Every structure is written in structure tokens, then in C-alpha cells.
Amino acid sequence: MHVVAATEVGPSGLRAALGLGAEDVVVLPEGEGWLVEVLATPEALAHTARTVTVVGAAGGVGATTLACLLGMSAGRDAPSLVVDLDPAGGGVDRVLGLEERAGIRWPALAGLVGRLSGPAL
């Protein structure tokens, strides 16, 4: 796992990242070349599953758009899934132009109680 940040994380942020099991913390845009190299190595490509988390620091910073672009890029080589966990956001279905496709949206999830299985998604 690699933690990607927009600014220096400082000692407490580094400790938190390492506590989560991160191998590295990279600050963008300075570390962009390194991150691209790490993600493009044959060792990284040999895995059957990869998870990328995109978290915006504030509303409107483009986290959903970046997540959709990553999902579309990953989808060229293998099946991919983009999950939007921001109930206040517009949703990836709108960004990807999939508003008419079947699937669970935030309003439907708001009234659920208990667990939601993977196949239900």
C-alpha cells in the first residue's frame, strides 16, 4: 500500500500511514514519476486485484472525476469497479454517463438496515 498526499504529511501522518501498513508516503505532484513507476512495475501488474482509494480534501476538488478516470483506465485491461462513497456527491453514474443503468443509488441505501451483500451491489 502506498499513501498519496497533496502536501507533506509530517511525522504524525507518516506514523499513521505506517500503522495502516503503507510501504511509502508520496507527495504529489513531486512524486508523480515515482508513483507511476511503482504502479507500472511487472510485480505490481502481476496481482489479480488492486484497490485504489481516492479521497478529496474538500468538496469539488475532483476526487470523483479522478476515481472515474482511474476506473476507466483499469477497465481497458480487466474488469473494474468504481464505488462512490460520498453521499453528498453527484455520483459516479453521472460522471460516467450511466444514469439510466440499473444499480443501487444513495437514496435507496439511506433506508436500508443491516448488511448489503456484494451481489446486491
Side-chain angles (χ1 to χ4, degrees), residues 66-78 80 82:
L66 176 60
C68 289
L69 289 171
L70 289 170
M72 290 171 55
S73 178
R76 287 188 217 140
D77 299 321
S80 68
V82 176

Side-chain angles (χ1 to χ4, degrees), residues 82-112 116 120-121:
V82 176
V83 179
D84 184 4
L85 299 177
D86 182 2
V92 296
D93 54 341
R94 289 191 179 138
V95 174
L96 294 172
L98 303 172
E99 301 94 326
E100 303 300 319
R101 299 288 289 274
I104 294 177
R105 305 298 195 274
W106 277 115
L109 291 173
L112 291 178
L116 181 65
L121 288 174

Side-chain angles (χ1 to χ4, degrees), residues 1-118:
M1 173 178 30
H2 307 283
V3 173
V4 180
T7 61
E8 291 295 331
V9 297
S12 63
L14 182 57
R15 277 193 298 278
L18 294 175
L20 291 172
E23 294 177 39
D24 303 285
V25 176
V26 61
V27 178
L28 296 180
E30 296 85 10
E32 177 183 359
W34 176 86
L35 183 60
V36 168
E37 187 67 29
V38 166
L39 294 176
T41 61
E43 295 82 29
L45 299 175
H47 299 286
T48 57
R50 187 149 344 290
T51 302
V52 175
T53 304
V54 179
V55 180
V61 298
T64 299
T65 302
L66 176 60
C68 289
L69 289 171
L70 289 170
M72 290 171 55
S73 178
R76 287 188 217 140
D77 299 321
S80 68
L81 173 67
V82 176
V83 179
D84 184 4
L85 299 177
D86 182 2
V92 296
D93 54 341
R94 289 191 179 138
V95 174
L96 294 172
L98 303 172
E99 301 94 326
E100 303 300 319
R101 299 288 289 274
I104 294 177
R105 305 298 195 274
W106 277 115
L109 291 173
L112 291 178
V113 176
R115 293 180 53 182
L116 181 65
S117 70

